[in-house]
Amino acid sequence: MFDARLRPLIDMPLNAIARTLSGTGITPNFITGVGFFLGLLAAGCLVLKLDYAALVLILGSRFMDGLDGAVARHAAPRSRHPNAKSQESDLGGYYDIVSDFLFYSGIILAFAIGRPEHALMAAFLIFCFVGTGSSFLAYAIIAAKQGRTDGYAQGKKSFFYLTGITEGSETILVLCLICIFPASFNMIAAIFGALCLMTTMGRVLQARRDFG
């Protein structure tokens, strides 16, 4: 819901850093890997109930998640082999989306491992994540098949990006909240899970209108 509004604010510092990294040999895929590794460390901290350490690592992981795209966009015009760069960007987009979904569900799983009394609501939230993720990706597949190009409100993406109530910004906020207020996990998970289900239903209805 807030991704498109935040994009101009986020892109400015990320693009500045991307320009600084230009020519250093640091690739977008390497940055994606670093972000995913930080996410794994955050999950480990949650298992050990090191909540504030997990919070810092989550923010670091999501910073890398934004930076990899900025580096890829900055590098693309400099390539002498556009077709090769396009293939690399496609692979980078694939790595990015896979690591994102593993990260989001992994953080919730780690919280449940560290606090098994919250396992039921954690399972519910992961179920809701599956709904938003599958409706998001399935729509992108059909949109690409039909050659649609109007789903890029958040900037240049590797795939069609269908918006919703719960997007990346909201999910990151929720992950931060459960680190700061772990005792309120059940309430946070219930509210956000309900919003995720609303997002899934909205995307299904959108697909019915667009593809029916």
Side-chain angles (χ1 to χ4, degrees):
M1 182 168 61
F2 296 118
D3 283 10
R5 295 181 179 88
L6 293 175
R7 176 57 57 185
L9 300 176
I10 295 172
D11 278 350
M12 187 178 299
L14 290 180
N15 288 334
I17 297 172
R19 286 192 295 270
T20 301
L21 293 177
S22 178
T24 64
I26 296 176
T27 66
N29 290 345
F30 175 78
I31 296 172
T32 300
V34 171
F36 184 66
F37 179 70
L38 292 177
L40 292 177
L41 292 179
C45 287
L46 283 176
V47 171
L48 300 174
K49 298 184 180 181
L50 302 174
D51 299 323
Y52 286 102
L55 173 63
V56 172
L57 289 165
I58 286 171
L59 292 174
S61 174
R62 294 307 85 193
F63 174 79
M64 292 297 177
D65 181 58
L67 183 60
D68 60 4
V71 171
R73 290 189 295 272
H74 185 73
R78 304 169 70 90
S79 174
R80 295 184 179 179
H81 305 284
N83 187 53
K85 177 55 67 176
S86 175
Q87 292 174 359
E88 179 182 330
S89 298
D90 288 343
L91 180 60
Y94 175 82
Y95 287 153
D96 184 65
I97 196 66
V98 170
S99 64
D100 279 353
F101 281 92
L102 288 175
F103 166 80
Y104 290 130
S105 58
I107 290 296
I108 303 302
L109 173 62
F111 187 93
I113 293 172
R115 297 171 171 87
E117 65 273 17
H118 295 297
L120 181 60
M121 286 306 298
F124 168 72
L125 188 54
I126 291 174
F127 166 77
C128 297
F129 283 177
V130 171
T132 55
S134 60
S135 61
F136 172 80
L137 292 176
Y139 191 100
I141 292 169
I142 304 302
K145 181 180 178 181
Q146 296 187 355
R148 294 189 58 180
T149 59
D150 56 327
Y152 298 92
Q154 288 81 355
K156 186 177 179 182
K157 297 286 185 179
S158 298
F159 47 84
F160 189 99
Y161 198 105
L162 182 64
T163 58
I165 299 173
T166 55
E167 298 175 0
S169 301
E170 293 81 12
T171 307
I172 295 167
L173 174 61
V174 165
L175 297 185
C176 291
L177 288 176
I178 67 174
C179 292
I180 299 170
F181 306 107
S184 300
F185 176 83
N186 285 356
M187 180 182 68
I188 295 170
I191 294 172
F192 193 67
L195 293 175
C196 286
L197 292 177
M198 291 172 61
T199 296
T200 301
M201 182 56 65
R203 287 173 175 165
V204 170
L205 294 176
Q206 183 71 42
R208 182 180 177 85
R209 287 191 293 268
D210 293 344
F211 306 142

PDB file of all heavy atoms in Angstrom, residues 134-136 138-140 142-143 146 148 162 199-212:
ATOM      1  N   SER A 134       1.364 -16.130  -3.517  1.00  0.00           N
ATOM      2  CA  SER A 134       0.886 -16.886  -4.679  1.00  0.00           C
ATOM      3  C   SER A 134       0.011 -16.030  -5.577  1.00  0.00           C
ATOM      4  O   SER A 134       0.117 -16.092  -6.813  1.00  0.00           O
ATOM      5  CB  SER A 134       0.134 -18.138  -4.222  1.00  0.00           C
ATOM      6  OG  SER A 134      -0.991 -17.794  -3.427  1.00  0.00           O
ATOM      7  N   SER A 135      -0.850 -15.196  -4.995  1.00  0.00           N
ATOM      8  CA  SER A 135      -1.707 -14.336  -5.808  1.00  0.00           C
ATOM      9  C   SER A 135      -0.882 -13.281  -6.544  1.00  0.00           C
ATOM     10  O   SER A 135      -1.205 -12.897  -7.674  1.00  0.00           O
ATOM     11  CB  SER A 135      -2.775 -13.663  -4.930  1.00  0.00           C
ATOM     12  OG  SER A 135      -2.182 -12.845  -3.930  1.00  0.00           O
ATOM     13  N   PHE A 136       0.180 -12.838  -5.921  1.00  0.00           N
ATOM     14  CA  PHE A 136       1.092 -11.856  -6.512  1.00  0.00           C
ATOM     15  C   PHE A 136       1.846 -12.453  -7.701  1.00  0.00           C
ATOM     16  O   PHE A 136       1.872 -11.891  -8.802  1.00  0.00           O
ATOM     17  CB  PHE A 136       2.051 -11.404  -5.416  1.00  0.00           C
ATOM     18  CG  PHE A 136       3.193 -10.542  -5.856  1.00  0.00           C
ATOM     19  CD1 PHE A 136       3.017  -9.195  -6.087  1.00  0.00           C
ATOM     20  CD2 PHE A 136       4.464 -11.075  -6.002  1.00  0.00           C
ATOM     21  CE1 PHE A 136       4.076  -8.391  -6.471  1.00  0.00           C
ATOM     22  CE2 PHE A 136       5.532 -10.288  -6.383  1.00  0.00           C
ATOM     23  CZ  PHE A 136       5.334  -8.945  -6.622  1.00  0.00           C
ATOM     24  N   ALA A 138       1.289 -15.408  -9.319  1.00  0.00           N
ATOM     25  CA  ALA A 138       0.434 -15.966 -10.367  1.00  0.00           C
ATOM     26  C   ALA A 138      -0.071 -14.861 -11.291  1.00  0.00           C
ATOM     27  O   ALA A 138      -0.122 -15.033 -12.515  1.00  0.00           O
ATOM     28  CB  ALA A 138      -0.744 -16.714  -9.740  1.00  0.00           C
ATOM     29  N   TYR A 139      -0.433 -13.712 -10.702  1.00  0.00           N
ATOM     30  CA  TYR A 139      -0.879 -12.591 -11.535  1.00  0.00           C
ATOM     31  C   TYR A 139       0.258 -12.122 -12.436  1.00  0.00           C
ATOM     32  O   TYR A 139       0.047 -11.833 -13.610  1.00  0.00           O
ATOM     33  CB  TYR A 139      -1.359 -11.446 -10.645  1.00  0.00           C
ATOM     34  CG  TYR A 139      -2.074 -10.351 -11.405  1.00  0.00           C
ATOM     35  CD1 TYR A 139      -3.457 -10.287 -11.424  1.00  0.00           C
ATOM     36  CD2 TYR A 139      -1.360  -9.399 -12.122  1.00  0.00           C
ATOM     37  CE1 TYR A 139      -4.119  -9.298 -12.139  1.00  0.00           C
ATOM     38  CE2 TYR A 139      -2.006  -8.410 -12.842  1.00  0.00           C
ATOM     39  CZ  TYR A 139      -3.380  -8.360 -12.846  1.00  0.00           C
ATOM     40  OH  TYR A 139      -4.030  -7.389 -13.572  1.00  0.00           O
ATOM     41  N   ALA A 140       1.470 -12.045 -11.888  1.00  0.00           N
ATOM     42  CA  ALA A 140       2.622 -11.588 -12.671  1.00  0.00           C
ATOM     43  C   ALA A 140       2.887 -12.509 -13.858  1.00  0.00           C
ATOM     44  O   ALA A 140       3.238 -12.044 -14.948  1.00  0.00           O
ATOM     45  CB  ALA A 140       3.855 -11.517 -11.772  1.00  0.00           C
ATOM     46  N   ILE A 142       0.690 -14.415 -15.552  1.00  0.00           N
ATOM     47  CA  ILE A 142      -0.323 -14.228 -16.590  1.00  0.00           C
ATOM     48  C   ILE A 142      -0.162 -12.862 -17.253  1.00  0.00           C
ATOM     49  O   ILE A 142      -0.308 -12.725 -18.475  1.00  0.00           O
ATOM     50  CB  ILE A 142      -1.735 -14.378 -16.003  1.00  0.00           C
ATOM     51  CG1 ILE A 142      -1.884 -15.738 -15.319  1.00  0.00           C
ATOM     52  CG2 ILE A 142      -2.787 -14.213 -17.091  1.00  0.00           C
ATOM     53  CD1 ILE A 142      -1.625 -16.918 -16.227  1.00  0.00           C
ATOM     54  N   ALA A 143       0.156 -11.834 -16.448  1.00  0.00           N
ATOM     55  CA  ALA A 143       0.343 -10.490 -17.006  1.00  0.00           C
ATOM     56  C   ALA A 143       1.500 -10.472 -17.997  1.00  0.00           C
ATOM     57  O   ALA A 143       1.423  -9.838 -19.063  1.00  0.00           O
ATOM     58  CB  ALA A 143       0.584  -9.485 -15.880  1.00  0.00           C
ATOM     59  N   GLN A 146       0.536 -12.034 -21.242  1.00  0.00           N
ATOM     60  CA  GLN A 146      -0.316 -11.159 -22.045  1.00  0.00           C
ATOM     61  C   GLN A 146       0.379  -9.872 -22.466  1.00  0.00           C
ATOM     62  O   GLN A 146      -0.213  -9.029 -23.141  1.00  0.00           O
ATOM     63  CB  GLN A 146      -1.596 -10.827 -21.263  1.00  0.00           C
ATOM     64  CG  GLN A 146      -2.471 -12.044 -20.992  1.00  0.00           C
ATOM     65  CD  GLN A 146      -3.801 -11.694 -20.364  1.00  0.00           C
ATOM     66  OE1 GLN A 146      -4.058 -10.539 -20.036  1.00  0.00           O
ATOM     67  NE2 GLN A 146      -4.661 -12.688 -20.194  1.00  0.00           N
ATOM     68  N   ARG A 148       1.457  -7.314 -20.588  1.00  0.00           N
ATOM     69  CA  ARG A 148       1.058  -6.091 -19.894  1.00  0.00           C
ATOM     70  C   ARG A 148       2.285  -5.366 -19.364  1.00  0.00           C
ATOM     71  O   ARG A 148       3.241  -5.981 -18.887  1.00  0.00           O
ATOM     72  CB  ARG A 148       0.101  -6.410 -18.747  1.00  0.00           C
ATOM     73  CG  ARG A 148      -1.235  -6.966 -19.208  1.00  0.00           C
ATOM     74  CD  ARG A 148      -2.221  -7.055 -18.082  1.00  0.00           C
ATOM     75  NE  ARG A 148      -2.435  -5.741 -17.465  1.00  0.00           N
ATOM     76  CZ  ARG A 148      -3.258  -5.547 -16.440  1.00  0.00           C
ATOM     77  NH1 ARG A 148      -3.925  -6.548 -15.917  1.00  0.00           N
ATOM     78  NH2 ARG A 148      -3.405  -4.335 -15.942  1.00  0.00           N
ATOM     79  N   LEU A 162       1.766  -6.237  -8.963  1.00  0.00           N
ATOM     80  CA  LEU A 162       0.395  -5.899  -8.601  1.00  0.00           C
ATOM     81  C   LEU A 162       0.354  -5.427  -7.156  1.00  0.00           C
ATOM     82  O   LEU A 162       0.827  -6.117  -6.253  1.00  0.00           O
ATOM     83  CB  LEU A 162      -0.508  -7.119  -8.776  1.00  0.00           C
ATOM     84  CG  LEU A 162      -2.000  -6.918  -8.492  1.00  0.00           C
ATOM     85  CD1 LEU A 162      -2.595  -5.922  -9.489  1.00  0.00           C
ATOM     86  CD2 LEU A 162      -2.743  -8.237  -8.573  1.00  0.00           C
ATOM     87  N   THR A 199      -5.866  -8.623   1.012  1.00  0.00           N
ATOM     88  CA  THR A 199      -5.035  -8.376  -0.172  1.00  0.00           C
ATOM     89  C   THR A 199      -5.160  -9.516  -1.172  1.00  0.00           C
ATOM     90  O   THR A 199      -5.300  -9.290  -2.386  1.00  0.00           O
ATOM     91  CB  THR A 199      -3.563  -8.202   0.241  1.00  0.00           C
ATOM     92  OG1 THR A 199      -3.437  -7.045   1.054  1.00  0.00           O
ATOM     93  CG2 THR A 199      -2.661  -8.053  -0.982  1.00  0.00           C
ATOM     94  N   THR A 200      -5.113 -10.752  -0.673  1.00  0.00           N
ATOM     95  CA  THR A 200      -5.246 -11.918  -1.549  1.00  0.00           C
ATOM     96  C   THR A 200      -6.576 -11.905  -2.278  1.00  0.00           C
ATOM     97  O   THR A 200      -6.639 -12.114  -3.502  1.00  0.00           O
ATOM     98  CB  THR A 200      -5.105 -13.214  -0.734  1.00  0.00           C
ATOM     99  OG1 THR A 200      -3.827 -13.243  -0.090  1.00  0.00           O
ATOM    100  CG2 THR A 200      -5.248 -14.435  -1.623  1.00  0.00           C
ATOM    101  N   MET A 201      -7.651 -11.641  -1.534  1.00  0.00           N
ATOM    102  CA  MET A 201      -8.971 -11.603  -2.152  1.00  0.00           C
ATOM    103  C   MET A 201      -9.050 -10.483  -3.192  1.00  0.00           C
ATOM    104  O   MET A 201      -9.617 -10.663  -4.278  1.00  0.00           O
ATOM    105  CB  MET A 201     -10.043 -11.405  -1.085  1.00  0.00           C
ATOM    106  CG  MET A 201     -11.461 -11.391  -1.636  1.00  0.00           C
ATOM    107  SD  MET A 201     -11.885 -12.894  -2.582  1.00  0.00           S
ATOM    108  CE  MET A 201     -11.811 -14.124  -1.256  1.00  0.00           C
ATOM    109  N   GLY A 202      -8.486  -9.328  -2.874  1.00  0.00           N
ATOM    110  CA  GLY A 202      -8.490  -8.228  -3.828  1.00  0.00           C
ATOM    111  C   GLY A 202      -7.762  -8.588  -5.106  1.00  0.00           C
ATOM    112  O   GLY A 202      -8.203  -8.233  -6.213  1.00  0.00           O
ATOM    113  N   ARG A 203      -6.638  -9.301  -4.991  1.00  0.00           N
ATOM    114  CA  ARG A 203      -5.881  -9.691  -6.178  1.00  0.00           C
ATOM    115  C   ARG A 203      -6.624 -10.740  -6.993  1.00  0.00           C
ATOM    116  O   ARG A 203      -6.573 -10.728  -8.230  1.00  0.00           O
ATOM    117  CB  ARG A 203      -4.499 -10.195  -5.761  1.00  0.00           C
ATOM    118  CG  ARG A 203      -3.572  -9.072  -5.318  1.00  0.00           C
ATOM    119  CD  ARG A 203      -2.272  -9.584  -4.745  1.00  0.00           C
ATOM    120  NE  ARG A 203      -1.364  -8.472  -4.451  1.00  0.00           N
ATOM    121  CZ  ARG A 203      -0.286  -8.574  -3.688  1.00  0.00           C
ATOM    122  NH1 ARG A 203       0.020  -9.748  -3.119  1.00  0.00           N
ATOM    123  NH2 ARG A 203       0.492  -7.529  -3.473  1.00  0.00           N
ATOM    124  N   VAL A 204      -7.311 -11.647  -6.309  1.00  0.00           N
ATOM    125  CA  VAL A 204      -8.106 -12.650  -7.021  1.00  0.00           C
ATOM    126  C   VAL A 204      -9.222 -11.970  -7.811  1.00  0.00           C
ATOM    127  O   VAL A 204      -9.476 -12.309  -8.980  1.00  0.00           O
ATOM    128  CB  VAL A 204      -8.681 -13.681  -6.029  1.00  0.00           C
ATOM    129  CG1 VAL A 204      -9.698 -14.582  -6.720  1.00  0.00           C
ATOM    130  CG2 VAL A 204      -7.565 -14.531  -5.430  1.00  0.00           C
ATOM    131  N   LEU A 205      -9.875 -11.008  -7.188  1.00  0.00           N
ATOM    132  CA  LEU A 205     -10.939 -10.280  -7.885  1.00  0.00           C
ATOM    133  C   LEU A 205     -10.386  -9.466  -9.049  1.00  0.00           C
ATOM    134  O   LEU A 205     -11.012  -9.360 -10.109  1.00  0.00           O
ATOM    135  CB  LEU A 205     -11.677  -9.367  -6.898  1.00  0.00           C
ATOM    136  CG  LEU A 205     -12.479 -10.092  -5.804  1.00  0.00           C
ATOM    137  CD1 LEU A 205     -13.070  -9.086  -4.830  1.00  0.00           C
ATOM    138  CD2 LEU A 205     -13.579 -10.953  -6.416  1.00  0.00           C
ATOM    139  N   GLN A 206      -9.190  -8.878  -8.843  1.00  0.00           N
ATOM    140  CA  GLN A 206      -8.545  -8.130  -9.923  1.00  0.00           C
ATOM    141  C   GLN A 206      -8.218  -9.040 -11.094  1.00  0.00           C
ATOM    142  O   GLN A 206      -8.405  -8.697 -12.256  1.00  0.00           O
ATOM    143  CB  GLN A 206      -7.273  -7.453  -9.409  1.00  0.00           C
ATOM    144  CG  GLN A 206      -6.561  -6.577 -10.436  1.00  0.00           C
ATOM    145  CD  GLN A 206      -7.336  -5.311 -10.736  1.00  0.00           C
ATOM    146  OE1 GLN A 206      -7.859  -4.680  -9.836  1.00  0.00           O
ATOM    147  NE2 GLN A 206      -7.429  -4.965 -12.004  1.00  0.00           N
ATOM    148  N   ALA A 207      -7.717 -10.240 -10.781  1.00  0.00           N
ATOM    149  CA  ALA A 207      -7.406 -11.211 -11.827  1.00  0.00           C
ATOM    150  C   ALA A 207      -8.671 -11.629 -12.572  1.00  0.00           C
ATOM    151  O   ALA A 207      -8.654 -11.794 -13.797  1.00  0.00           O
ATOM    152  CB  ALA A 207      -6.715 -12.428 -11.214  1.00  0.00           C
ATOM    153  N   ARG A 208      -9.761 -11.779 -11.832  1.00  0.00           N
ATOM    154  CA  ARG A 208     -11.033 -12.143 -12.478  1.00  0.00           C
ATOM    155  C   ARG A 208     -11.474 -11.066 -13.464  1.00  0.00           C
ATOM    156  O   ARG A 208     -11.940 -11.356 -14.560  1.00  0.00           O
ATOM    157  CB  ARG A 208     -12.101 -12.364 -11.406  1.00  0.00           C
ATOM    158  CG  ARG A 208     -13.456 -12.803 -11.954  1.00  0.00           C
ATOM    159  CD  ARG A 208     -14.447 -12.989 -10.824  1.00  0.00           C
ATOM    160  NE  ARG A 208     -15.760 -13.348 -11.331  1.00  0.00           N
ATOM    161  CZ  ARG A 208     -16.159 -14.576 -11.620  1.00  0.00           C
ATOM    162  NH1 ARG A 208     -15.313 -15.585 -11.436  1.00  0.00           N
ATOM    163  NH2 ARG A 208     -17.369 -14.818 -12.067  1.00  0.00           N
ATOM    164  N   ARG A 209     -11.288  -9.801 -13.066  1.00  0.00           N
ATOM    165  CA  ARG A 209     -11.670  -8.703 -13.957  1.00  0.00           C
ATOM    166  C   ARG A 209     -10.745  -8.627 -15.172  1.00  0.00           C
ATOM    167  O   ARG A 209     -11.190  -8.378 -16.292  1.00  0.00           O
ATOM    168  CB  ARG A 209     -11.626  -7.379 -13.206  1.00  0.00           C
ATOM    169  CG  ARG A 209     -12.753  -7.188 -12.206  1.00  0.00           C
ATOM    170  CD  ARG A 209     -12.799  -5.749 -11.700  1.00  0.00           C
ATOM    171  NE  ARG A 209     -11.623  -5.414 -10.905  1.00  0.00           N
ATOM    172  CZ  ARG A 209     -11.557  -5.548  -9.589  1.00  0.00           C
ATOM    173  NH1 ARG A 209     -12.605  -6.031  -8.904  1.00  0.00           N
ATOM    174  NH2 ARG A 209     -10.472  -5.214  -8.935  1.00  0.00           N
ATOM    175  N   ASP A 210      -9.436  -8.809 -14.946  1.00  0.00           N
ATOM    176  CA  ASP A 210      -8.465  -8.598 -16.013  1.00  0.00           C
ATOM    177  C   ASP A 210      -8.319  -9.793 -16.945  1.00  0.00           C
ATOM    178  O   ASP A 210      -8.028  -9.622 -18.136  1.00  0.00           O
ATOM    179  CB  ASP A 210      -7.108  -8.266 -15.421  1.00  0.00           C
ATOM    180  CG  ASP A 210      -7.088  -6.911 -14.700  1.00  0.00           C
ATOM    181  OD1 ASP A 210      -8.016  -6.112 -14.928  1.00  0.00           O
ATOM    182  OD2 ASP A 210      -6.170  -6.671 -13.902  1.00  0.00           O
ATOM    183  N   PHE A 211      -8.467 -10.999 -16.404  1.00  0.00           N
ATOM    184  CA  PHE A 211      -8.183 -12.203 -17.198  1.00  0.00           C
ATOM    185  C   PHE A 211      -9.434 -12.998 -17.542  1.00  0.00           C
ATOM    186  O   PHE A 211      -9.354 -13.959 -18.308  1.00  0.00           O
ATOM    187  CB  PHE A 211      -7.213 -13.118 -16.449  1.00  0.00           C
ATOM    188  CG  PHE A 211      -5.939 -12.440 -16.015  1.00  0.00           C
ATOM    189  CD1 PHE A 211      -5.353 -12.747 -14.784  1.00  0.00           C
ATOM    190  CD2 PHE A 211      -5.335 -11.493 -16.803  1.00  0.00           C
ATOM    191  CE1 PHE A 211      -4.188 -12.116 -14.369  1.00  0.00           C
ATOM    192  CE2 PHE A 211      -4.160 -10.857 -16.407  1.00  0.00           C
ATOM    193  CZ  PHE A 211      -3.586 -11.177 -15.188  1.00  0.00           C
ATOM    194  N   GLY A 212     -10.582 -12.635 -16.952  1.00  0.00           N
ATOM    195  CA  GLY A 212     -11.790 -13.417 -17.158  1.00  0.00           C
ATOM    196  C   GLY A 212     -12.409 -13.231 -18.537  1.00  0.00           C
ATOM    197  O   GLY A 212     -12.114 -12.283 -19.257  1.00  0.00           O
TER     198      GLY A 212
END
